[in-house]
Amino acid sequence: MPHSTPLITTIVGGLVLAFLLGTLANRLRISPLVGYLLAGVLAGPFTPGFVADTSLAPELAEIGVILLMFGVGLHFSLKDLMAVKNIAIPGAIAQIAVATLLGMGLSWFMGWTLVTGLVFGLCLSTASTVVLLRALEERQLIDSQRGQIAIGWLIVEDLAMVLTLVLLPAVGGIMGDGNARIGDLLIELSLTLGKVVAFIALMIVGGRRVVPWILARSASTGSRELFTLAVLALALGIAYGAVAIFGVSFALGAFFAGMVLNESELSHRAAHDTLPLRDAFAVLFFVSVGMLFDPTILIREPLAVVATLAIIVLGKSVAAFVLVRMFGHSKRTALTISASLAQIGEFAFILAGLGITLGMMSEHGRNLVLAGAILSIMLNPLVFALLERYLESSETMEEQIMEEVEEEEKQIPVDLCNHALLVGYGRVGSLLGAKLNDVGIPLVVIENSRTRVEALREQGIHAVLGNAANHEVMDLARLDCARWLLLTIPNGYEAGEIVASAREKRTDIEIIARAHYDDEVAYISERGANQVIMGEREIANSMLNLLHVERVLEEEPRECPI
C-alpha cells in the first residue's frame, strides 16, 4: 500500500488499531497489552490489509522508551539506585550469563555456530524496559523495594547491552576468523566504560544544576506550553546526546536526565505534563513489536519457538529467583522480580539486527527471537496474574504482612491520635499539609513514594509508606483514632475505594476528598465521603465571592458614558 504521508499513516493506523483491539482485550478481561501487540501484527507486512511503515514504527517506539525512562528517573533518586547495587549488579550479570548459556545450548542443538549461539543467547537475556515498567506501574510497585531492585537490575542490563553492542564486532572477529586481537577488545571495553562513566558523572555533577535551572526558568515564564516543551527537549535531547556523544542507550540517557531532576520541586509537574505522551508512545512501542512478528513461524518451527519461549519465561525466571533468594530477600520479592524479567524486548531486536549486519546471525535466528519476544510479552500479564493468585492462596495473612515488612522496611504504628490522616503528598497534599502544620493540627501522611516519605520523616512529620487502600497501611497510620481523613490523590476512583474501605472501619470519621469531574464527585460521595472538593468549582466560587455580588446588586447601577 503506498504511503503519501507515512508518518501520519503509521501513527494514526497504529493508535486506532491499538485502541480497538486494546478495548476488546479489556472487555475479555485480559491485558490491553495483548491487544496492542495484535494491532501491530495486523499492521505488519506479514498479514493482509493495512501495512504501516516498518522503518518509522521502531523510531516512534524509541520515543516512548525515552519518555518512559525519563518518567521513571523523575521518581528514582541516586540514593535509591545505590541502595540496590549489591543485588542488582551481580544479579543482572549472573542472570544474563545463565540466559546466554541456555540460548547457546539451544543453538548448538539446532546446529548453529558458536558465534551465532552467543548472539542468540544475548538476545534472550535482557528484559524489555517498557513491559517491566508497565507491569510495576499497574501494581504500584515503582517505589517499593521490589520495584527498585527490578529497575536497578534493568539499568545494569542496559549498561551490559551497551557494552555488548560496542564489543560484538570485535568478539565476532576473535571467535570467527581471528582478525581482531584480545588487546583491541580490551581497548574497546575501556573506551566504552570510560564513556559511560563520563556520561554518568556529567549528569550527576553538571546535570543536577543545569537541568533544574532550565526547567525553573521555563516555569517562571508562566507559559504551560514552554514548560512542557522544555521537559520534552531535555528528555529527548539528553537521550540523543547520550547516544551520539557517549555511545550509551537512549533509555539510559533519559533515565539519568529524569533522575537529576528528581530533587527539584518541579519534578512532579514535569511527570504530570509528559504522562499523556508517555502513554501514547508506549502503545506505539507494542504496536511496533507486533509489526515485526511473522505468525507463520508458529507453524513452521513450533518446537524451536517453544524452546526459545521456555528459556525466556522459565530459564531466566528460575535464575533470577535463585539469585534473589541467595541475597537473602523474601520469596515474594524473588517471585516478583522473576515475573518482571520473564520477557524480552527492545535490546533483543537491536542485537539481532546487528548480528545479521555482521553476518553473526541468520534470519531464522532473528525470527525465533521476535517470536519469543512477542509471545513472552503477551504472556507476561498472565504470569503476574498467576503469581498474585499463588501468593494469595499460599500465604497466610501473617506471612503476607511479614513479607511486606521485610521487603519494604519495618514500619512502626504511629503513636498519635485525634490527628488528620492525609493520603497523598503531591502538589495539593503538600500545600494542605503545610497549612495543617502551621495551625498545629497533628498530621500523619500516607504516601507510596519512598523518597517523599523519607523527606517527610526528616522534617519530623509522621509518614507511612504504602497504598492507603491496604488495610495494614491504614492500621499503621492509626485510622482507628484519627479525627479526619483527607484524600488529595488525583485519581477519583481510587479515592472512592479508599473512602469505602475507611468508612467500613470508621463510621464516625470525617472524610474530605478531592475530585476533578462531576462523575468522580458522585462516585466518592456514594462511598461515604462527607465532602468532595472539585477544584474547578471551588475556583469559580472563590472568584464569585471576591466580586462581592450581593453588595454590587444593592448599589445603584452606574450610568454608561455615551
Side-chain angles (χ1 to χ4, degrees):
M1 175 182 175
H3 296 285
S4 56
T5 53
L7 178 62
I8 296 174
T9 305
T10 301
I11 293 175
V12 172
L15 291 179
V16 169
L17 283 172
F19 168 70
L20 294 174
L21 292 173
T23 303
L24 178 62
N26 191 57
R27 283 287 184 92
L28 296 174
R29 297 185 181 278
I30 57 180
S31 172
L33 297 187
V34 176
Y36 306 154
L37 290 165
L38 290 176
V41 174
L42 291 179
F46 304 104
T47 53
F50 169 73
V51 178
D53 192 310
T54 53
S55 62
L56 283 174
E59 292 195 40
L60 293 172
E62 196 69 64
I63 296 176
V65 174
I66 291 170
L67 294 176
L68 198 67
M69 286 302 285
F70 180 72
V72 171
L74 287 172
H75 297 93
F76 205 87
S77 67
L78 183 63
K79 185 168 65 174
D80 295 331
L81 191 58
M82 297 307 292
V84 298
K85 70 179 186 302
N86 291 335
I87 179 175
I89 295 174
I93 293 171
Q95 180 251 298
I96 288 172
V98 170
T100 302
L101 289 173
L102 289 172
M104 291 176 72
L106 177 59
S107 70
W108 174 83
F109 185 78
M110 291 188 291
W112 297 353
T113 65
L114 185 62
V115 174
T116 302
L118 175 65
V119 178
F120 180 70
L122 287 169
C123 288
L124 305 185
S125 66
T126 57
S128 164
T129 300
V130 181
V131 177
L132 186 146
L133 294 178
R134 273 296 178 90
L136 295 178
E137 282 180 343
E138 286 175 3
R139 290 155 187 84
Q140 297 182 332
L141 293 174
I142 289 285
D143 291 303
S144 70
Q145 188 186 48
R146 286 177 283 170
Q148 289 176 347
I149 291 173
I151 292 170
W153 198 297
L154 183 76
I155 296 302
V156 176
E157 285 191 347
D158 275 2
L159 284 169
M161 287 303 105
V162 168
L163 293 174
T164 300
L165 291 172
V166 173
L167 298 176
L168 199 59
V171 171
I174 291 173
M175 297 181 70
D177 55 20
N179 289 334
R181 294 175 301 175
I182 297 293
D184 295 334
L185 185 64
L186 292 175
I187 292 171
E188 287 286 347
L189 179 61
S190 301
L191 286 173
T192 304
L193 285 173
K195 287 180 180 179
V196 170
V197 171
F199 169 73
I200 294 174
L202 179 64
M203 292 305 300
I204 292 173
V205 177
R208 268 183 169 174
R209 295 175 175 84
V210 176
V211 173
W213 180 81
I214 291 173
L215 281 190
R217 293 299 296 268
S218 302
S220 67
T221 64
S223 170
R224 182 170 56 86
E225 292 83 0
L226 273 178
F227 179 80
T228 304
L229 186 61
V231 174
L232 293 175
L234 285 169
L236 297 172
I238 291 173
Y240 182 80
V243 175
I245 301 171
F246 296 95
V248 304
S249 67
F250 284 115
L252 197 67
F255 173 78
F256 276 96
M259 201 168 70
V260 297
L261 185 58
N262 173 270
E263 298 171 9
S264 168
E265 59 187 23
L266 292 168
S267 61
H268 305 309
R269 181 178 168 187
H272 179 268
D273 285 3
T274 56
L275 184 61
L277 276 173
R278 276 187 283 157
D279 287 343
F281 280 101
V283 169
L284 287 176
F285 166 81
F286 292 106
V287 173
S288 71
V289 172
M291 287 170 60
L292 297 171
F293 182 54
D294 181 3
T296 61
I297 195 173
L298 300 176
I299 301 169
R300 290 186 282 108
E301 300 277 351
L303 293 179
V305 170
V306 170
T308 302
L309 189 62
I311 291 173
I312 298 167
V313 177
L314 296 178
K316 286 175 59 181
S317 298
V318 171
F321 178 85
V322 172
L323 289 164
V324 175
R325 291 292 281 165
M326 283 174 58
F327 279 89
H329 288 272
S330 67
K331 181 178 71 173
R332 176 181 288 244
T333 299
L335 287 171
T336 302
I337 292 170
S338 298
S340 300
L341 300 172
Q343 37 76 22
I344 59 172
E346 49 272 21
F347 267 114
F349 315 140
I350 298 169
L351 268 176
L354 179 61
I356 288 178
T357 302
L358 296 172
M360 299 169 67
M361 194 174 192
S362 63
E363 286 288 347
H364 180 214
R366 182 166 71 171
N367 287 336
L368 285 179
V369 169
L370 293 174
I374 194 166
L375 292 174
S376 64
I377 290 171
M378 281 183 169
L379 287 175
N380 200 243
L382 177 61
V383 171
F384 266 103
L386 292 173
L387 168 63
E388 290 167 355
R389 190 168 296 179
Y390 166 75
L391 290 174
E392 287 175 4
S393 63
S394 64
E395 294 179 342
T396 64
M397 185 58 69
E398 290 77 14
E399 286 174 332
Q400 288 182 25
I401 293 171
M402 186 166 292
E403 290 274 10
E404 294 293 339
V405 169
E406 285 178 2
E407 67 195 27
E408 298 294 347
E409 60 181 64
K410 187 169 182 180
Q411 298 194 92
I412 301 170
V414 173
D415 185 18
L416 204 62
C417 269
N418 294 316
H419 57 284
L421 186 50
L422 177 60
V423 179
Y425 209 75
R427 288 182 298 169
V428 177
S430 57
L431 290 171
L432 179 57
K435 296 288 185 185
L436 292 171
N437 264 329
D438 289 344
V439 297
I441 292 177
L443 176 66
V444 176
V445 176
I446 296 179
E447 244 296 341
N448 57 15
S449 167
R450 184 183 298 272
T451 306
R452 291 186 200 173
V453 167
E454 289 175 353
L456 286 166
R457 288 173 179 169
E458 288 174 3
Q459 297 169 31
I461 298 172
H462 294 284
V464 175
L465 176 66
N467 191 327
N470 187 312
H471 295 292
E472 288 77 27
V473 171
M474 280 296 204
D475 290 341
L476 289 169
R478 297 302 304 271
L479 173 68
D480 60 317
C481 65
R483 185 170 179 182
W484 301 280
L485 175 60
L486 311 172
L487 294 101
T488 64
I489 55 176
N491 189 325
Y493 291 96
E494 183 184 350
E497 297 308 310
I498 296 171
V499 168
S501 177
R503 183 59 74 199
E504 188 178 330
K505 283 194 170 186
R506 286 282 309 276
T507 57
D508 58 329
I509 191 170
E510 185 174 356
I511 302 177
I512 303 173
R514 163 195 180 188
H516 283 296
Y517 306 103
D518 290 323
D519 57 339
E520 290 182 348
V521 173
Y523 185 84
I524 298 170
S525 300
E526 288 168 5
R527 273 148 184 77
N530 298 87
Q531 296 182 62
V532 183
I533 310 298
M534 192 169 80
E536 292 80 0
R537 187 179 295 163
E538 294 305 312
I539 291 171
N541 290 337
S542 296
M543 293 179 74
L544 188 63
N545 290 335
L546 289 172
L547 294 175
H548 303 294
V549 173
E550 293 180 359
R551 191 177 70 193
V552 171
L553 291 175
E554 290 173 1
E555 294 177 357
E556 292 184 7
R558 298 178 181 176
E559 293 184 4
C560 295
I562 299 174

